[in-house]
């Protein structure tokens, strides 16, 4: 039920996976979803295991999908708000890591700084899973690729376009995953919002190895022309509120609206990791259109989370 090579491993980035491991996780996610719809929702894969869920940021999909995934796999989760831990009073991350490793079997953390995740992983002798950081969101990317495959069947000859802030954590992880699997992804973003150079160069290396393609495009119309998948995320993430005015001004030409999606293929799918700021990065008529698959995408967070926990802790 799990991928042996991932057992007891950290998952901080899509780059922590090999191409075969990424493919296997997505295949396992589909198997778990099939079981789920055939009435097999509870397994004993994590029987007796406890996972600490550290959350510095608010969450709906991540928190609920992780807690339900662990429960359905037979394990137990502890939701730990950072404000309720001694972290809020200045205890070092490394001290928290060395205490928790003595109590629980794994840690999933949703943090402001990726450095906190790296410190947790460095000091805890148990697996640490990235449930979102300012750099990456690998669990979201797994669900995203699963959703694209669900509706488009494969990544070959599929044009995926991420529109908006190219330095977004979701954009980073999606770019890496698509490139690793041989897909084509365009990042439509303004000057100054390009993906982190290290991750962009890594994605291009993956694409060269897999036969995929990764590119940055300034013109959103050019980017979405004949697109099969259009993806966007919020313009102002948690912690960026002070930049709101500048970000809205810079990113407004990249709003996903009825006019922009008219350049895509008629059967394009619209994706968003949610929550959406309607009529900001995406208009109401697009997110509520028949082309929108955001609810299926959100559901797939459950199935991919189960695949990750079953593989790392099973």
């Amino acid at each position: 039920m799990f991928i042996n090579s991932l057992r007891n491993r950290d998952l901080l980035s899509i780059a922590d996976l090999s191409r075969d491991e990424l493919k296997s996780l997505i295949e396992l996610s589909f198997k778990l979803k099939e079981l789920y719809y055939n009435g097999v929702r509870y397994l004993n894969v994590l029987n007796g295991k406890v996972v600490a869920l550290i959350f510095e940021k608010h969450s709906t999909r991540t928190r609920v999908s992780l807690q339900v995934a662990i429960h359905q796999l037979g394990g137990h989760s502890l939701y730990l708000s950072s404000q309720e831990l001694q972290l809020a009073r200045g205890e070092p991350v490394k001290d928290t890591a060395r205490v928790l490793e003595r109590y629980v079997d794994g840690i999933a953390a949703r943090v402001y700084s990726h450095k906190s995740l790296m410190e947790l992983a460095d000091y805890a002798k148990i697996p640490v899973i990235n449930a979102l950081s300012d750099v990456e969101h690998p669990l979201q990317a797994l669900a995203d690729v699963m959703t694209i495959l669900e509706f488009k069947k494969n990544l070959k000859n599929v044009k995926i376009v991420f529109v908006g802030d190219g330095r977004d954590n979701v954009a980073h992880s999606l770019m890496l995953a698509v490139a690793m699997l041989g897909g084509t992804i365009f990042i439509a973003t303004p000057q100054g919002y390009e993906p982190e150079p290290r991750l962009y160069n890594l994605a291009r290396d993956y694409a060269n190895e897999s036969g995929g393609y990764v590119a940055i495009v300034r013109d959103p119309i050019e980017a979405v022309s004949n697109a099969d998948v259009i993806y966007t995320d919020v313009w102002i993430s948690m912690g960026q509120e002070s930049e709101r005015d500048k970000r809205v001004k810079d990113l407004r030409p990249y709003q996903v609206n009825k006019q922009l999606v008219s350049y895509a293929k008629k059967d394009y799918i619209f994706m968003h990791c949610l929550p959406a700021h309607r009529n900001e990065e995406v208009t109401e008529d697009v997110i509520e259109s028949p082309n929108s698959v955001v609810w299926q995408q959100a559901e797939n967070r459950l199935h991919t989370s189960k695949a990750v926990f079953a593989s790392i802790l099973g």
Side-chain angles (χ1 to χ4, degrees), residues 26-38:
I26 294 167
E27 289 168 2
L28 178 56
S29 300
F30 276 112
K31 291 176 184 176
L32 289 167
K33 185 170 185 175
E34 183 179 3
L35 286 174
Y36 185 86
Y37 278 96
N38 284 332

Side-chain angles (χ1 to χ4, degrees), residues 171-210:
H172 281 157
S173 292
L174 179 66
M175 175 180 67
L176 291 173
V178 169
M180 190 183 288
L181 295 174
T184 295
I185 184 166
F186 292 84
I187 308 294
T189 195
Q191 192 80 33
Y193 291 82
E194 300 88 351
E196 187 177 308
R198 174 182 63 86
L199 296 177
Y200 180 64
N201 291 332
L202 180 58
R204 294 187 72 179
D205 289 342
Y206 286 153
N208 288 335
E209 295 169 4
S210 67

Side-chain angles (χ1 to χ4, degrees), residues 21-183:
E21 287 168 344
L22 177 56
K23 288 174 65 177
S24 295
L25 274 175
I26 294 167
E27 289 168 2
L28 178 56
S29 300
F30 276 112
K31 291 176 184 176
L32 289 167
K33 185 170 185 175
E34 183 179 3
L35 286 174
Y36 185 86
Y37 278 96
N38 284 332
V40 184
R41 298 193 173 190
Y42 297 93
L43 304 165
N44 288 320
V45 179
L46 298 187
N47 191 32
K49 298 288 179 72
V50 179
V51 183
L53 305 179
I54 299 176
F55 277 65
E56 291 183 344
K57 290 186 170 187
H58 296 296
S59 175
T60 297
R61 279 146 294 277
T62 298
R63 177 179 176 177
V64 176
S65 64
L66 295 189
Q67 289 195 280
V68 173
I70 293 164
H71 176 69
Q72 290 187 354
L73 291 173
H76 181 73
S77 63
L78 291 173
Y79 174 78
L80 304 173
S81 165
S82 63
Q83 292 304 307
E84 297 171 347
L85 296 173
Q86 294 294 347
L87 286 169
R89 300 178 64 220
E91 182 173 44
V93 171
K94 61 185 179 182
D95 291 4
T96 300
R98 288 178 288 192
V99 169
L100 288 181
E101 73 175 15
R102 288 162 167 78
Y103 298 151
V104 301
D105 301 284
I107 300 170
R110 182 178 175 91
V111 298
Y112 281 100
S113 173
H114 196 78
K115 291 179 181 178
S116 298
L117 275 176
M118 295 173 67
E119 190 172 352
L120 273 173
D122 284 344
Y123 283 90
K125 296 186 179 71
I126 55 176
V128 174
I129 297 167
N130 181 357
L132 179 142
S133 74
D134 57 336
V135 177
E136 275 203 63
H137 198 351
L139 297 182
Q140 181 65 52
L142 288 168
D144 295 341
V145 173
M146 180 183 180
T147 305
I148 294 169
L149 291 173
E150 205 164 23
F151 285 91
K152 298 299 179 182
K153 306 309 176 190
N154 62 69
L155 293 182
K156 296 295 183 182
N157 302 315
V158 173
K159 182 180 181 181
I160 302 165
V161 184
F162 184 94
V163 182
D165 180 3
R167 199 172 283 265
D168 179 83
N169 48 13
V170 170
H172 281 157
S173 292
L174 179 66
M175 175 180 67
L176 291 173
V178 169
M180 190 183 288
L181 295 174

